[in-house]
Amino acid sequence: MELHAITDGKKSIKELKEIITSIADVVDYIHIREKCKVPAEIIALVEELIYAGVEKERLVINDRLDIALLTGIRNVHLPANSLPAAKVKTAYPYMRVGVSVHSVEEAKTAEEARADYCLFGHVFETDSKKGLAGRGTNALGKIVEQLQIPVIAIGGITPDNVEQVLEKKVHGIAVMSTIFSSSQPKEAAIHLKNIVQKGG
Amino acid sequence: MELHAITDGKKSIKELKEIITSIADVVDYIHIREKCKVPAEIIALVEELIYAGVEKERLVINDRLDIALLTGIRNVHLPANSLPAAKVKTAYPYMRVGVSVHSVEEAKTAEEARADYCLFGHVFETDSKKGLAGRGTNALGKIVEQLQIPVIAIGGITPDNVEQVLEKKVHGIAVMSTIFSSSQPKEAAIHLKNIVQKGG
Protein backbone atom coordinates (compact mmCIF):
# COMPACT_ATOMS: atom_id res chain seq x y z
CA MET A 1 0.00 0.00 0.00
CA GLU A 2 1.61 3.22 -1.23
CA LEU A 3 1.71 6.54 0.59
CA HIS A 4 2.25 9.58 -1.63
CA ALA A 5 3.01 13.05 -0.24
CA ILE A 6 2.25 15.98 -2.54
CA THR A 7 3.77 19.41 -1.95
CA ASP A 8 1.20 22.13 -1.37
CA GLY A 9 2.70 25.03 -3.32
CA LYS A 10 2.76 27.20 -0.19
CA LYS A 11 6.27 26.57 1.10
CA SER A 12 9.61 28.17 0.31
CA ILE A 13 12.34 26.06 -1.28
CA LYS A 14 14.08 25.97 2.12
CA GLU A 15 10.95 24.73 3.92
CA LEU A 16 10.29 22.17 1.21
CA LYS A 17 13.82 20.84 1.49
CA GLU A 18 13.48 20.46 5.27
CA ILE A 19 10.11 18.73 5.16
CA ILE A 20 10.91 16.46 2.22
CA THR A 21 14.23 15.27 3.63
CA SER A 22 12.49 14.54 6.95
CA ILE A 23 9.72 12.40 5.36
CA ALA A 24 11.69 10.82 2.53
CA ASP A 25 12.24 7.53 4.30
CA VAL A 26 8.64 7.34 5.51
CA VAL A 27 6.54 7.91 2.42
CA ASP A 28 6.85 6.00 -0.86
CA TYR A 29 6.61 8.95 -3.23
CA ILE A 30 6.97 12.70 -2.94
CA HIS A 31 5.34 14.72 -5.73
CA ILE A 32 6.97 18.05 -6.46
CA ARG A 33 3.91 20.09 -7.41
CA GLU A 34 4.93 23.73 -7.30
CA LYS A 35 2.93 25.55 -9.95
CA CYS A 36 4.01 29.02 -8.84
CA LYS A 37 7.72 28.28 -8.80
CA VAL A 38 9.87 28.76 -11.89
CA PRO A 39 11.68 25.80 -13.49
CA ALA A 40 15.09 27.01 -12.30
CA GLU A 41 13.89 26.89 -8.66
CA ILE A 42 12.32 23.45 -9.02
CA ILE A 43 15.47 22.05 -10.62
CA ALA A 44 17.57 23.53 -7.80
CA LEU A 45 15.24 21.95 -5.23
CA VAL A 46 15.40 18.52 -6.87
CA GLU A 47 19.19 18.67 -7.06
CA GLU A 48 19.44 19.72 -3.40
CA LEU A 49 17.15 16.88 -2.36
CA ILE A 50 19.22 14.31 -4.27
CA TYR A 51 22.41 15.79 -2.81
CA ALA A 52 20.85 15.52 0.67
CA GLY A 53 20.31 11.80 0.11
CA VAL A 54 16.68 11.63 -0.99
CA GLU A 55 16.30 8.67 -3.36
CA LYS A 56 15.53 9.73 -6.92
CA GLU A 57 13.11 6.82 -7.17
CA ARG A 58 10.86 8.47 -4.58
CA LEU A 59 10.58 11.80 -6.35
CA VAL A 60 7.77 12.52 -8.79
CA ILE A 61 7.72 15.66 -10.93
CA ASN A 62 4.28 17.18 -11.49
CA ASP A 63 3.53 18.28 -15.06
CA ARG A 64 7.07 19.25 -16.17
CA LEU A 65 8.42 16.21 -17.97
CA ASP A 66 11.38 18.34 -19.05
CA ILE A 67 12.43 18.94 -15.45
CA ALA A 68 12.20 15.19 -14.80
CA LEU A 69 14.32 14.43 -17.89
CA LEU A 70 16.98 17.01 -16.99
CA THR A 71 17.27 15.86 -13.36
CA GLY A 72 17.15 12.13 -14.07
CA ILE A 73 13.82 11.58 -12.33
CA ARG A 74 11.81 8.74 -13.85
CA ASN A 75 8.43 9.56 -12.34
CA VAL A 76 6.14 12.18 -13.77
CA HIS A 77 2.59 13.00 -12.75
CA LEU A 78 0.27 14.60 -15.30
CA PRO A 79 -2.58 16.77 -14.01
CA ALA A 80 -5.63 17.58 -16.14
CA ASN A 81 -4.70 19.29 -19.45
CA SER A 82 -1.01 18.54 -19.03
CA LEU A 83 1.01 16.59 -21.59
CA PRO A 84 -0.88 13.62 -23.07
CA ALA A 85 0.11 10.42 -21.24
CA ALA A 86 0.17 8.34 -24.44
CA LYS A 87 2.69 10.67 -26.07
CA VAL A 88 4.89 10.61 -22.98
CA LYS A 89 4.80 6.80 -22.75
CA THR A 90 5.56 6.43 -26.47
CA ALA A 91 8.54 8.78 -26.36
CA TYR A 92 9.80 7.68 -22.92
CA PRO A 93 8.62 4.12 -22.24
CA TYR A 94 10.83 3.86 -19.14
CA MET A 95 9.08 6.81 -17.52
CA ARG A 96 6.52 6.00 -14.81
CA VAL A 97 3.53 8.14 -15.69
CA GLY A 98 0.62 8.92 -13.40
CA VAL A 99 -2.52 10.76 -14.45
CA SER A 100 -5.06 12.70 -12.36
CA VAL A 101 -8.64 11.57 -13.00
CA HIS A 102 -12.04 12.65 -11.72
CA SER A 103 -14.41 10.07 -13.22
CA VAL A 104 -14.58 6.50 -14.53
CA GLU A 105 -14.37 7.85 -18.09
CA GLU A 106 -11.19 9.80 -17.42
CA ALA A 107 -9.72 6.82 -15.59
CA LYS A 108 -10.45 4.52 -18.55
CA THR A 109 -8.88 7.06 -20.90
CA ALA A 110 -5.77 7.18 -18.72
CA GLU A 111 -5.56 3.40 -18.72
CA GLU A 112 -5.90 3.27 -22.52
CA ALA A 113 -3.16 5.90 -22.74
CA ARG A 114 -0.89 3.45 -20.86
CA ALA A 115 -0.72 5.46 -17.65
CA ASP A 116 1.06 3.46 -14.96
CA TYR A 117 -1.46 4.52 -12.33
CA CYS A 118 -4.23 7.03 -11.86
CA LEU A 119 -4.82 9.44 -9.01
CA PHE A 120 -8.53 9.76 -8.32
CA GLY A 121 -10.07 12.53 -6.29
CA HIS A 122 -11.00 14.36 -4.47
CA VAL A 123 -12.55 11.65 -2.31
CA PHE A 124 -13.46 13.86 0.65
CA GLU A 125 -14.01 17.60 0.87
CA THR A 126 -10.65 19.30 1.11
CA ASP A 127 -9.21 22.75 1.79
CA SER A 128 -7.45 22.74 -1.56
CA LYS A 129 -10.83 22.41 -3.38
CA LYS A 130 -12.94 24.48 -0.97
CA GLY A 131 -16.71 24.37 -1.33
CA LEU A 132 -16.67 21.31 -3.58
CA ALA A 133 -18.23 18.18 -2.12
CA GLY A 134 -16.01 15.12 -2.21
CA ARG A 135 -16.70 12.55 -4.93
CA GLY A 136 -17.03 9.98 -2.20
CA THR A 137 -15.75 6.50 -1.46
CA ASN A 138 -18.46 4.82 -3.57
CA ALA A 139 -17.21 6.53 -6.71
CA LEU A 140 -13.70 5.53 -5.67
CA GLY A 141 -14.78 1.90 -5.27
CA LYS A 142 -16.33 1.85 -8.76
CA ILE A 143 -13.14 3.14 -10.35
CA VAL A 144 -11.02 0.55 -8.55
CA GLU A 145 -13.39 -2.20 -9.76
CA GLN A 146 -13.34 -1.09 -13.38
CA LEU A 147 -9.62 -0.43 -13.83
CA GLN A 148 -6.67 -2.74 -14.27
CA ILE A 149 -4.05 -0.11 -13.41
CA PRO A 150 -3.45 0.91 -9.78
CA VAL A 151 -5.71 3.59 -8.33
CA ILE A 152 -4.35 6.04 -5.78
CA ALA A 153 -6.95 8.01 -3.79
CA ILE A 154 -6.53 11.70 -2.97
CA GLY A 155 -8.51 14.50 -1.36
CA GLY A 156 -9.08 15.25 2.30
CA ILE A 157 -7.64 11.96 3.52
CA THR A 158 -6.65 12.02 7.21
CA PRO A 159 -5.91 9.40 9.86
CA ASP A 160 -9.60 9.66 10.84
CA ASN A 161 -11.09 8.69 7.49
CA VAL A 162 -8.33 6.70 5.79
CA GLU A 163 -9.88 3.35 6.78
CA GLN A 164 -12.91 4.11 4.57
CA VAL A 165 -10.53 4.58 1.64
CA LEU A 166 -8.50 1.46 2.33
CA GLU A 167 -11.71 -0.61 2.33
CA LYS A 168 -12.09 0.25 -1.35
CA LYS A 169 -9.00 -1.77 -2.29
CA VAL A 170 -7.00 1.18 -3.50
CA HIS A 171 -3.35 0.72 -4.38
CA GLY A 172 -2.40 3.68 -2.22
CA ILE A 173 -3.31 7.09 -0.91
CA ALA A 174 -1.97 10.57 -1.52
CA VAL A 175 -2.07 13.49 0.88
CA MET A 176 -1.09 17.11 0.70
CA SER A 177 -2.15 19.12 3.77
CA THR A 178 -2.19 16.16 6.17
CA ILE A 179 1.59 16.18 5.87
CA PHE A 180 2.60 19.58 4.49
CA SER A 181 0.25 21.67 6.66
CA SER A 182 1.14 19.74 9.81
CA SER A 183 3.33 21.40 12.41
CA GLN A 184 5.10 18.02 12.64
CA PRO A 185 5.24 16.68 9.07
CA LYS A 186 7.45 13.70 9.85
CA GLU A 187 5.23 12.55 12.73
CA ALA A 188 2.12 13.05 10.58
CA ALA A 189 3.68 10.93 7.83
CA ILE A 190 4.69 8.17 10.25
CA HIS A 191 1.22 8.11 11.83
CA LEU A 192 -0.44 7.80 8.42
CA LYS A 193 2.09 5.22 7.21
CA ASN A 194 1.40 3.04 10.24
CA ILE A 195 -2.35 3.04 9.58
CA VAL A 196 -1.86 2.43 5.86
CA GLN A 197 0.52 -0.48 6.46
CA LYS A 198 -1.96 -2.16 8.74
CA GLY A 199 -4.69 -1.74 6.13
CA GLY A 200 -2.52 -2.82 3.20
CA MET B 1 19.04 38.86 -41.11
CA GLU B 2 16.43 36.91 -39.16
CA LEU B 3 12.87 38.00 -38.42
CA HIS B 4 11.27 36.31 -35.39
CA ALA B 5 7.55 36.61 -34.59
CA ILE B 6 6.56 35.93 -30.98
CA THR B 7 2.96 35.14 -30.03
CA ASP B 8 1.47 37.62 -27.59
CA GLY B 9 -0.50 35.32 -25.29
CA LYS B 10 -3.73 37.17 -26.06
CA LYS B 11 -5.13 35.11 -28.93
CA SER B 12 -7.28 31.99 -29.01
CA ILE B 13 -5.86 28.81 -30.51
CA LYS B 14 -8.02 29.43 -33.60
CA GLU B 15 -6.70 32.98 -34.05
CA LEU B 16 -3.13 31.84 -33.50
CA LYS B 17 -3.51 29.16 -36.12
CA GLU B 18 -4.85 31.66 -38.65
CA ILE B 19 -2.16 34.26 -38.05
CA ILE B 20 0.73 31.82 -37.85
CA THR B 21 -0.18 29.96 -41.03
CA SER B 22 -0.51 33.33 -42.82
CA ILE B 23 2.96 34.55 -41.77
CA ALA B 24 4.83 31.24 -41.77
CA ASP B 25 6.44 31.78 -45.17
CA VAL B 26 7.36 35.37 -44.39
CA VAL B 27 9.14 35.24 -41.03
CA ASP B 28 12.09 32.99 -40.18
CA TYR B 29 10.91 31.84 -36.76
CA ILE B 30 7.63 31.83 -34.88
CA HIS B 31 7.93 31.52 -31.11
CA ILE B 32 4.98 29.85 -29.40
CA ARG B 33 4.94 31.80 -26.14
CA GLU B 34 1.58 31.13 -24.52
CA LYS B 35 2.10 31.20 -20.76
CA CYS B 36 -1.60 31.07 -19.92
CA LYS B 37 -2.40 28.09 -22.11
CA VAL B 38 -2.13 24.53 -20.82
CA PRO B 39 0.31 22.05 -22.38
CA ALA B 40 -2.49 20.06 -24.03
CA GLU B 41 -3.64 23.18 -25.92
CA ILE B 42 -0.14 24.15 -27.00
CA ILE B 43 0.57 20.64 -28.28
CA ALA B 44 -2.72 20.67 -30.20
CA LEU B 45 -1.78 24.04 -31.73
CA VAL B 46 1.67 22.85 -32.79
CA GLU B 47 0.23 19.70 -34.33
CA GLU B 48 -2.41 21.70 -36.21
CA LEU B 49 0.24 24.08 -37.52
CA ILE B 50 2.42 21.24 -38.78
CA TYR B 51 -0.63 19.58 -40.34
CA ALA B 52 -1.46 22.89 -42.05
CA GLY B 53 1.98 22.90 -43.64
CA VAL B 54 3.98 25.17 -41.33
CA GLU B 55 7.60 23.99 -41.37
CA LYS B 56 8.70 22.51 -38.05
CA GLU B 57 12.06 24.23 -38.49
CA ARG B 58 10.36 27.62 -38.16
CA LEU B 59 8.62 26.88 -34.88
CA VAL B 60 10.22 27.69 -31.54
CA ILE B 61 8.71 26.54 -28.25
CA ASN B 62 9.02 28.98 -25.37
CA ASP B 63 10.10 27.49 -22.02
CA ARG B 64 8.53 24.01 -22.38
CA LEU B 65 11.31 21.79 -23.65
CA ASP B 66 9.01 18.82 -23.05
CA ILE B 67 6.45 20.14 -25.54
CA ALA B 68 9.24 20.62 -28.08
CA LEU B 69 10.50 17.07 -27.52
CA LEU B 70 7.04 15.52 -27.82
CA THR B 71 6.15 17.42 -31.00
CA GLY B 72 9.52 17.00 -32.71
CA ILE B 73 10.38 20.71 -32.62
CA ARG B 74 14.12 21.35 -32.38
CA ASN B 75 14.00 24.99 -31.30
CA VAL B 76 13.42 26.02 -27.73
CA HIS B 77 13.60 29.50 -26.25
CA LEU B 78 14.35 29.88 -22.55
CA PRO B 79 13.07 33.00 -20.76
CA ALA B 80 14.55 34.18 -17.45
CA ASN B 81 14.36 31.52 -14.71
CA SER B 82 13.41 28.79 -17.16
CA LEU B 83 15.43 25.59 -17.60
CA PRO B 84 19.21 26.15 -17.51
CA ALA B 85 20.55 26.38 -21.08
CA ALA B 86 23.70 24.38 -20.26
CA LYS B 87 21.65 21.44 -18.98
CA VAL B 88 19.45 21.51 -22.06
CA LYS B 89 22.46 21.64 -24.44
CA THR B 90 24.19 18.81 -22.58
CA ALA B 91 21.15 16.53 -22.65
CA TYR B 92 19.96 17.54 -26.14
CA PRO B 93 22.94 18.82 -28.15
CA TYR B 94 20.87 18.88 -31.36
CA MET B 95 18.39 21.32 -29.86
CA ARG B 96 18.72 24.96 -30.92
CA VAL B 97 18.52 26.88 -27.66
CA GLY B 98 17.90 30.61 -27.34
CA VAL B 99 18.07 32.55 -24.10
CA SER B 100 16.48 35.87 -23.12
CA VAL B 101 19.02 38.35 -21.70
CA HIS B 102 18.81 41.86 -20.32
CA SER B 103 22.45 42.82 -19.76
CA VAL B 104 25.98 42.09 -20.95
CA GLU B 105 26.48 39.85 -17.91
CA GLU B 106 23.43 37.73 -18.68
CA ALA B 107 24.42 37.56 -22.34
CA LYS B 108 27.93 36.35 -21.43
CA THR B 109 26.41 33.74 -19.11
CA ALA B 110 24.14 32.53 -21.92
CA GLU B 111 27.10 32.28 -24.27
CA GLU B 112 29.11 30.29 -21.70
CA ALA B 113 26.09 28.01 -21.27
CA ARG B 114 26.34 27.26 -25.01
CA ALA B 115 23.15 29.06 -26.00
CA ASP B 116 22.84 29.20 -29.77
CA TYR B 117 21.70 32.82 -29.68
CA CYS B 118 20.49 35.38 -27.21
CA LEU B 119 17.45 37.60 -27.36
CA PHE B 120 18.25 41.00 -25.90
CA GLY B 121 15.63 43.50 -24.84
CA HIS B 122 13.66 45.37 -24.52
CA VAL B 123 15.40 47.85 -26.81
CA PHE B 124 12.58 50.40 -27.01
CA GLU B 125 9.69 51.07 -24.67
CA THR B 126 6.95 48.54 -25.38
CA ASP B 127 3.36 47.87 -24.44
CA SER B 128 4.28 44.47 -23.06
CA LYS B 129 6.63 46.10 -20.49
CA LYS B 130 4.65 49.28 -19.85
CA GLY B 131 6.30 52.09 -17.91
CA LEU B 132 9.78 50.64 -18.29
CA ALA B 133 12.17 52.69 -20.39
CA GLY B 134 13.84 50.77 -23.19
CA ARG B 135 17.44 49.65 -22.63
CA GLY B 136 18.35 51.48 -25.81
CA THR B 137 20.32 50.80 -28.95
CA ASN B 138 23.65 51.70 -27.31
CA ALA B 139 23.28 48.86 -24.82
CA LEU B 140 22.31 46.61 -27.73
CA GLY B 141 25.42 47.65 -29.66
CA LYS B 142 27.67 46.82 -26.68
CA ILE B 143 26.20 43.34 -26.35
CA VAL B 144 26.65 42.65 -30.06
CA GLU B 145 30.32 43.78 -29.81
CA GLN B 146 31.08 41.60 -26.79
CA LEU B 147 29.41 38.36 -27.85
CA GLN B 148 30.39 35.66 -30.31
CA ILE B 149 26.88 34.15 -30.53
CA PRO B 150 24.15 35.85 -32.58
CA VAL B 151 22.15 38.59 -30.87
CA ILE B 152 18.49 39.06 -31.73
CA ALA B 153 16.94 42.37 -30.64
CA ILE B 154 13.44 42.61 -29.17
CA GLY B 155 11.17 45.21 -27.63
CA GLY B 156 9.08 47.89 -29.29
CA ILE B 157 10.63 47.37 -32.72
CA THR B 158 8.49 48.78 -35.56
CA PRO B 159 9.07 49.69 -39.20
CA ASP B 160 9.75 53.25 -37.97
CA ASN B 161 12.65 52.43 -35.66
CA VAL B 162 14.02 49.15 -37.01
CA GLU B 163 16.82 50.91 -38.96
CA GLN B 164 18.37 52.05 -35.65
CA VAL B 165 18.47 48.41 -34.55
CA LEU B 166 19.91 47.11 -37.80
CA GLU B 167 22.76 49.64 -37.54
CA LYS B 168 23.95 47.79 -34.44
CA LYS B 169 24.86 44.70 -36.48
CA VAL B 170 22.31 42.42 -34.85
CA HIS B 171 21.73 38.96 -36.27
CA GLY B 172 18.00 39.56 -36.36
CA ILE B 173 14.99 41.15 -34.76
CA ALA B 174 11.99 39.79 -32.91
CA VAL B 175 8.56 41.37 -32.69
CA MET B 176 5.37 40.56 -30.87
CA SER B 177 2.72 43.29 -31.17
CA THR B 178 3.98 44.69 -34.48
CA ILE B 179 2.72 41.48 -36.05
CA PHE B 180 0.25 39.93 -33.59
CA SER B 181 -1.57 43.15 -32.66
CA SER B 182 -1.81 44.26 -36.28
CA SER B 183 -5.18 44.07 -38.02
CA GLN B 184 -3.22 42.72 -41.00
CA PRO B 185 -0.53 40.45 -39.54
CA LYS B 186 0.68 39.08 -42.87
CA GLU B 187 1.08 42.55 -44.40
CA ALA B 188 2.82 43.76 -41.24
CA ALA B 189 5.24 40.82 -41.43
CA ILE B 190 5.95 41.39 -45.13
CA HIS B 191 6.55 45.11 -44.58
CA LEU B 192 9.01 44.42 -41.77
CA LYS B 193 10.71 41.61 -43.68
CA ASN B 194 11.31 43.91 -46.65
CA ILE B 195 12.99 46.52 -44.46
CA VAL B 196 15.04 43.90 -42.62
CA GLN B 197 16.22 42.27 -45.84
CA LYS B 198 17.42 45.60 -47.18
CA GLY B 199 19.29 46.26 -43.94
CA GLY B 200 20.75 42.74 -43.69
Side-chain angles (χ1 to χ4, degrees), chain A residues 132-145:
Chain A
L132 285 174
R135 294 174 204 276
T137 52
N138 283 344
L140 173 63
K142 279 183 194 155
I143 293 210
V144 172
E145 274 170 30

Side-chain angles (χ1 to χ4, degrees), chain A residues 5 28 34 38 67 83 95 108 113 118 129 134 140 152 170 172 199:
Chain A
D28 299 290
E34 293 294 317
V38 293
I67 293 179
L83 307 167
M95 194 66 79
K108 288 268 185 195
C118 69
K129 308 259 180 189
L140 173 63
I152 312 292
V170 293

Side-chain angles (χ1 to χ4, degrees), chain A residues 141-157:
Chain A
K142 279 183 194 155
I143 293 210
V144 172
E145 274 170 30
Q146 295 191 43
L147 286 209
Q148 306 294 317
I149 59 172
V151 176
I152 312 292
I154 190 170
I157 300 172

Side-chain angles (χ1 to χ4, degrees), chain B:
Chain B
M1 183 72 61
E2 292 174 4
L3 175 56
H4 296 230
I6 301 183
T7 68
D8 63 2
K10 298 174 187 167
K11 304 282 182 298
S12 68
I13 293 290
K14 187 166 170 281
E15 290 168 323
L16 284 172
K17 193 185 160 189
E18 280 173 13
I19 297 174
I20 293 169
T21 50
S22 80
I23 65 170
D25 292 336
V26 181
V27 303
D28 299 289
Y29 292 101
I30 299 140
H31 295 234
I32 310 295
R33 179 180 177 275
E34 293 293 315
K35 299 187 179 206
C36 295
K37 291 195 172 64
V38 293
E41 285 180 296
I42 299 173
I43 288 181
L45 171 65
V46 170
E47 291 182 334
E48 283 184 43
L49 291 173
I50 294 168
Y51 185 77
V54 174
E55 292 171 37
K56 278 185 172 187
E57 292 70 22
R58 299 202 188 209
L59 294 175
V60 181
I61 306 296
N62 185 280
D63 184 45
R64 297 283 312 223
L65 170 65
D66 44 11
I67 293 179
L69 292 169
L70 293 177
T71 54
I73 303 296
R74 294 193 165 205
N75 302 306
V76 68
H77 186 83
L78 305 174
N81 298 314
S82 178
L83 306 167
K87 279 190 197 294
V88 177
K89 288 300 288 187
T90 300
Y92 305 97
Y94 60 79
M95 195 66 81
R96 189 165 175 276
V97 175
V99 173
S100 292
V101 301
H102 311 89
S103 65
V104 172
E105 292 67 33
E106 286 181 15
K108 288 268 186 194
T109 302
E111 184 169 87
E112 282 159 23
R114 289 166 286 144
D116 293 286
Y117 68 91
C118 69
L119 188 70
F120 171 75
H122 50 286
V123 177
F124 303 112
E125 197 173 335
T126 159
D127 279 354
S128 61
K129 310 259 181 189
K130 258 186 185 154
L132 285 173
R135 293 173 205 277
T137 51
N138 283 343
L140 173 63
K142 279 182 194 156
I143 293 211
V144 173
E145 274 171 31
Q146 294 190 42
L147 286 209
Q148 305 295 316
I149 59 172
V151 176
I152 313 291
I154 189 170
I157 299 172
T158 67
D160 293 334
N161 62 26
V162 66
E163 304 277 10
Q164 299 168 52
V165 172
L166 301 181
E167 281 170 14
K168 299 298 176 183
K169 312 284 183 209
V170 293
H171 189 78
I173 65 160
V175 297
M176 184 179 282
S177 55
T178 298
I179 291 178
F180 281 92
S181 295
S182 168
S183 58
Q184 297 188 295
K186 184 176 183 175
E187 287 67 20
I190 291 171
H191 184 40
L192 209 46
K193 181 71 180 176
N194 286 339
I195 302 173
V196 165
Q197 275 177 329
K198 269 188 280 174

